[in-house]
Amino acid sequence: MRTAMKLNEHIMLWNHASVKVMDIRYAALGVGERLASYRLPANAFLFALRGSARIRLDGALYCISRFHILHGGRGSSLEMEVDDGLEYYLILYKALLIGPSAWKQKHQSEENQPFRHQYCFVPLYPLPLLDKLEQMFQDWMKRDPLAVFHARGLFHQFVHELLWQMRRQGIEPEPPDLLGQALRYLHEHYREPVTLESMAEMFDCSVSYLTKLFKRRINESPIRLLTRIRMERAAELLAASDYSLQETAELVGYPDAHTLSRSFKKYCGLPPAQYRARSRTEGGVPDLPRACPQIALVADFAQCYSFSDYENCYQLKRSGGGTMHQASKTASAAAATLLLCITVLLAACSGASSPGNIGASGNGATAPGSSQQTNATPQPTVTAEATKSYRDSKGTVTIPAHPERIVDLTGSAIGNLLKLGIKPVAALDYGLESPFHDGMLDGVVNLGAQPNPEAILSLNPDLIVSLQFLDEAQYEALTKIAPVVRLELGKGTPSDMLLEFGKLTGREKEAQEWVEQWDRKIAELKPRIVQAVGDKTVSILQPHDKGIYAWGNKGGRSGEIIHGYLGLKAPAMIEQELIAGSGFGKSFTLEQLPEYAGDYIFTSPFSEEGNPGDLYENSLWKSLPAVKHNQVFFFDQKGAYYNDPISLEAQLEFVVKSLLGPAS
């Protein structure tokens, strides 16, 4: 709960602050002009010289005129509508608590955000403040180091004068509604790449505090809420527009249609194409196998400026639109938390080992299938030699030197473990679908579409491997069970990914041997294929319900082999947008087909949705040179997503036979 900070406490924190002036600006707006939503890049003082305006600071309305002073914190949303012209100074600054005394204030600082407090008033004695402001601005604009240094000194005098007048007038600063700010930010920026780190930096707080704030007040993690916002918007677009799946993905913040499809099916229980079809034929989707959870946001979020408004909207939505899926997830989370608490308590009572054992490799010492007793002989403490440091996409993690019971949450990267001779104890459902892994995953527990803490806990893993998309709430829950490594998808080649798995599992030698063997095979085959193909182009195309996808040298579909390891030429559009660029796949319309079609085409339907077979019967498709010369090759649709070593070997065999003939 937000609590107002007494002014004396506020002044005390200024005494322990290291302050840096970021910028001093003068601005003038004419009658009727508006300043659209401007997010403050730093803490700020606004001092009105003359004129009048209506200002919304995070939705709180202030009517200001001459000599009003307003303070807002970093990340606050500032909107301005000018009534009678407005001239003002804006000072942007950054403050950081330092020194031994500041440590006592650390918790209070995180909770109350002292330098982000909001207040607006007319000082009793505005001229001393104005004199300092004008001198500060003149010095700042000289850009002379000594003058700028003087301006920084004047800023402290300005703050001192301001605090003195606030005490004289009984003005108490109000804490910011950080949750309300963050919720509004997510709603306004869901189309952009948003991370916990970028949000924490925006609102000048730590990642852990931001996550705890969300969990404590709305029982939701920021990233999971972001996903739900995107899913609701995607559902709206699918039901009410004719955008292709790729266009819809880009409009809701996903890099490609494949990523959106997986997330949408996970959250809503239906693939996007089926959702669109049923929403149009049935006037809605009342009979979904698993209803799409309602987002805790009203339609016009711009009117929900504070958390209290948001909470009312949230409760209204929950009472009117709750689903069994939501209830089961909440109960599941509660059960998992209780189970974790009991486990830790029993471990403490038994005196089994030091806390360092929890989640490292203590559980791995128990043989699979054996029973554990709380009064059993204590297990030996894990030594430094039994662990190692590994740097993943988020930071450094301490993991077992030779993990044996691994839970794989990467999905399409699971074959890296299999190639190294490791069968994971559990995996997500879409990690178990590759036809190239048939017979290799017998006995692996299917965790379903999402990580299940209860199921994972019962398996006693000593390592959990995921991709960087794991949200913070899931990550925190899983780290209580075992060390969690988050790998970065799309970084480097598939060979690089295998080498990372080798480092993870202590099987660097096996990984390096496969890479060397693969390189020798490519070196042997590449000259023959290049000679056969020559300067002709090769493209990878997949029709879907509203268009066609083109793929480059990443994202599976043999792209890493064709355009990566073999270096075969792609049509100019694919080369420019997907190979030279950062994109994985791109959707285009049937009319653009000649621009994306190569002299050789590798293809299959994007998924089992819709009726992509229509493309193959279209006259434009049949007129392509590749079709006329029988240079179109159909690859396995289910195996297309995977680019692990086992899948690459099978895909390479198919590519070679397609380009060189069956006898190659």
Side-chain angles (χ1 to χ4, degrees), residues 566-578:
L566 297 178
L568 298 179
K569 184 179 177 182
M573 295 291 286
I574 296 177
E575 180 70 38
Q576 177 183 347
E577 297 175 0
L578 301 176

PDB file of all heavy atoms in Angstrom, residues 566-578:
ATOM      1  N   LEU A 566      25.361 -24.140 -46.187  1.00  0.00           N
ATOM      2  CA  LEU A 566      25.657 -24.329 -47.611  1.00  0.00           C
ATOM      3  C   LEU A 566      25.799 -23.000 -48.354  1.00  0.00           C
ATOM      4  O   LEU A 566      26.377 -22.956 -49.443  1.00  0.00           O
ATOM      5  CB  LEU A 566      24.561 -25.171 -48.273  1.00  0.00           C
ATOM      6  CG  LEU A 566      24.414 -26.608 -47.742  1.00  0.00           C
ATOM      7  CD1 LEU A 566      23.257 -27.315 -48.436  1.00  0.00           C
ATOM      8  CD2 LEU A 566      25.715 -27.393 -47.945  1.00  0.00           C
ATOM      9  N   GLY A 567      25.268 -21.930 -47.793  1.00  0.00           N
ATOM     10  CA  GLY A 567      25.435 -20.599 -48.381  1.00  0.00           C
ATOM     11  C   GLY A 567      24.766 -20.416 -49.728  1.00  0.00           C
ATOM     12  O   GLY A 567      25.236 -19.626 -50.556  1.00  0.00           O
ATOM     13  N   LEU A 568      23.651 -21.117 -49.975  1.00  0.00           N
ATOM     14  CA  LEU A 568      22.971 -20.983 -51.261  1.00  0.00           C
ATOM     15  C   LEU A 568      22.249 -19.640 -51.343  1.00  0.00           C
ATOM     16  O   LEU A 568      21.728 -19.130 -50.362  1.00  0.00           O
ATOM     17  CB  LEU A 568      21.987 -22.138 -51.461  1.00  0.00           C
ATOM     18  CG  LEU A 568      22.624 -23.529 -51.511  1.00  0.00           C
ATOM     19  CD1 LEU A 568      21.561 -24.598 -51.698  1.00  0.00           C
ATOM     20  CD2 LEU A 568      23.673 -23.615 -52.610  1.00  0.00           C
ATOM     21  N   LYS A 569      22.215 -19.097 -52.529  1.00  0.00           N
ATOM     22  CA  LYS A 569      21.676 -17.761 -52.776  1.00  0.00           C
ATOM     23  C   LYS A 569      20.155 -17.759 -52.641  1.00  0.00           C
ATOM     24  O   LYS A 569      19.477 -18.686 -53.086  1.00  0.00           O
ATOM     25  CB  LYS A 569      22.091 -17.307 -54.177  1.00  0.00           C
ATOM     26  CG  LYS A 569      21.683 -15.900 -54.549  1.00  0.00           C
ATOM     27  CD  LYS A 569      22.179 -15.579 -55.958  1.00  0.00           C
ATOM     28  CE  LYS A 569      21.727 -14.201 -56.410  1.00  0.00           C
ATOM     29  NZ  LYS A 569      22.182 -13.928 -57.812  1.00  0.00           N
ATOM     30  N   ALA A 570      19.630 -16.697 -52.043  1.00  0.00           N
ATOM     31  CA  ALA A 570      18.186 -16.526 -51.901  1.00  0.00           C
ATOM     32  C   ALA A 570      17.707 -15.405 -52.812  1.00  0.00           C
ATOM     33  O   ALA A 570      18.505 -14.563 -53.236  1.00  0.00           O
ATOM     34  CB  ALA A 570      17.836 -16.188 -50.451  1.00  0.00           C
ATOM     35  N   PRO A 571      16.416 -15.353 -53.149  1.00  0.00           N
ATOM     36  CA  PRO A 571      15.887 -14.200 -53.874  1.00  0.00           C
ATOM     37  C   PRO A 571      16.197 -12.908 -53.122  1.00  0.00           C
ATOM     38  O   PRO A 571      16.332 -12.896 -51.899  1.00  0.00           O
ATOM     39  CB  PRO A 571      14.378 -14.477 -53.923  1.00  0.00           C
ATOM     40  CG  PRO A 571      14.272 -15.966 -53.841  1.00  0.00           C
ATOM     41  CD  PRO A 571      15.384 -16.394 -52.943  1.00  0.00           C
ATOM     42  N   ALA A 572      16.296 -11.822 -53.854  1.00  0.00           N
ATOM     43  CA  ALA A 572      16.744 -10.549 -53.273  1.00  0.00           C
ATOM     44  C   ALA A 572      15.899 -10.125 -52.082  1.00  0.00           C
ATOM     45  O   ALA A 572      16.419  -9.619 -51.076  1.00  0.00           O
ATOM     46  CB  ALA A 572      16.729  -9.463 -54.351  1.00  0.00           C
ATOM     47  N   MET A 573      14.570 -10.298 -52.165  1.00  0.00           N
ATOM     48  CA  MET A 573      13.696  -9.876 -51.073  1.00  0.00           C
ATOM     49  C   MET A 573      14.003 -10.645 -49.794  1.00  0.00           C
ATOM     50  O   MET A 573      14.035 -10.076 -48.697  1.00  0.00           O
ATOM     51  CB  MET A 573      12.228 -10.067 -51.465  1.00  0.00           C
ATOM     52  CG  MET A 573      11.768  -9.181 -52.610  1.00  0.00           C
ATOM     53  SD  MET A 573      11.702  -7.434 -52.153  1.00  0.00           S
ATOM     54  CE  MET A 573      10.238  -7.416 -51.142  1.00  0.00           C
ATOM     55  N   ILE A 574      14.226 -11.940 -49.912  1.00  0.00           N
ATOM     56  CA  ILE A 574      14.530 -12.765 -48.740  1.00  0.00           C
ATOM     57  C   ILE A 574      15.920 -12.432 -48.208  1.00  0.00           C
ATOM     58  O   ILE A 574      16.133 -12.340 -46.996  1.00  0.00           O
ATOM     59  CB  ILE A 574      14.424 -14.260 -49.095  1.00  0.00           C
ATOM     60  CG1 ILE A 574      12.982 -14.602 -49.481  1.00  0.00           C
ATOM     61  CG2 ILE A 574      14.908 -15.133 -47.953  1.00  0.00           C
ATOM     62  CD1 ILE A 574      12.779 -16.030 -49.926  1.00  0.00           C
ATOM     63  N   GLU A 575      16.857 -12.235 -49.115  1.00  0.00           N
ATOM     64  CA  GLU A 575      18.223 -11.888 -48.711  1.00  0.00           C
ATOM     65  C   GLU A 575      18.230 -10.595 -47.911  1.00  0.00           C
ATOM     66  O   GLU A 575      18.860 -10.501 -46.850  1.00  0.00           O
ATOM     67  CB  GLU A 575      19.105 -11.735 -49.958  1.00  0.00           C
ATOM     68  CG  GLU A 575      20.557 -11.380 -49.666  1.00  0.00           C
ATOM     69  CD  GLU A 575      21.326 -12.517 -49.026  1.00  0.00           C
ATOM     70  OE1 GLU A 575      21.084 -13.678 -49.410  1.00  0.00           O
ATOM     71  OE2 GLU A 575      22.151 -12.240 -48.141  1.00  0.00           O
ATOM     72  N   GLN A 576      17.520  -9.617 -48.398  1.00  0.00           N
ATOM     73  CA  GLN A 576      17.528  -8.297 -47.771  1.00  0.00           C
ATOM     74  C   GLN A 576      16.775  -8.286 -46.438  1.00  0.00           C
ATOM     75  O   GLN A 576      17.254  -7.723 -45.454  1.00  0.00           O
ATOM     76  CB  GLN A 576      16.901  -7.282 -48.725  1.00  0.00           C
ATOM     77  CG  GLN A 576      16.776  -5.870 -48.149  1.00  0.00           C
ATOM     78  CD  GLN A 576      16.084  -4.919 -49.117  1.00  0.00           C
ATOM     79  OE1 GLN A 576      15.919  -5.229 -50.290  1.00  0.00           O
ATOM     80  NE2 GLN A 576      15.683  -3.765 -48.624  1.00  0.00           N
ATOM     81  N   GLU A 577      15.597  -8.906 -46.387  1.00  0.00           N
ATOM     82  CA  GLU A 577      14.735  -8.777 -45.227  1.00  0.00           C
ATOM     83  C   GLU A 577      14.994  -9.820 -44.142  1.00  0.00           C
ATOM     84  O   GLU A 577      14.774  -9.539 -42.956  1.00  0.00           O
ATOM     85  CB  GLU A 577      13.272  -8.855 -45.663  1.00  0.00           C
ATOM     86  CG  GLU A 577      12.866  -7.714 -46.603  1.00  0.00           C
ATOM     87  CD  GLU A 577      11.449  -7.877 -47.122  1.00  0.00           C
ATOM     88  OE1 GLU A 577      10.795  -8.863 -46.745  1.00  0.00           O
ATOM     89  OE2 GLU A 577      10.993  -7.027 -47.901  1.00  0.00           O
ATOM     90  N   LEU A 578      15.454 -11.002 -44.527  1.00  0.00           N
ATOM     91  CA  LEU A 578      15.553 -12.086 -43.554  1.00  0.00           C
ATOM     92  C   LEU A 578      16.977 -12.567 -43.294  1.00  0.00           C
ATOM     93  O   LEU A 578      17.297 -12.955 -42.171  1.00  0.00           O
ATOM     94  CB  LEU A 578      14.689 -13.265 -44.004  1.00  0.00           C
ATOM     95  CG  LEU A 578      13.199 -12.959 -44.174  1.00  0.00           C
ATOM     96  CD1 LEU A 578      12.467 -14.187 -44.707  1.00  0.00           C
ATOM     97  CD2 LEU A 578      12.593 -12.510 -42.856  1.00  0.00           C
TER      98      LEU A 578
END
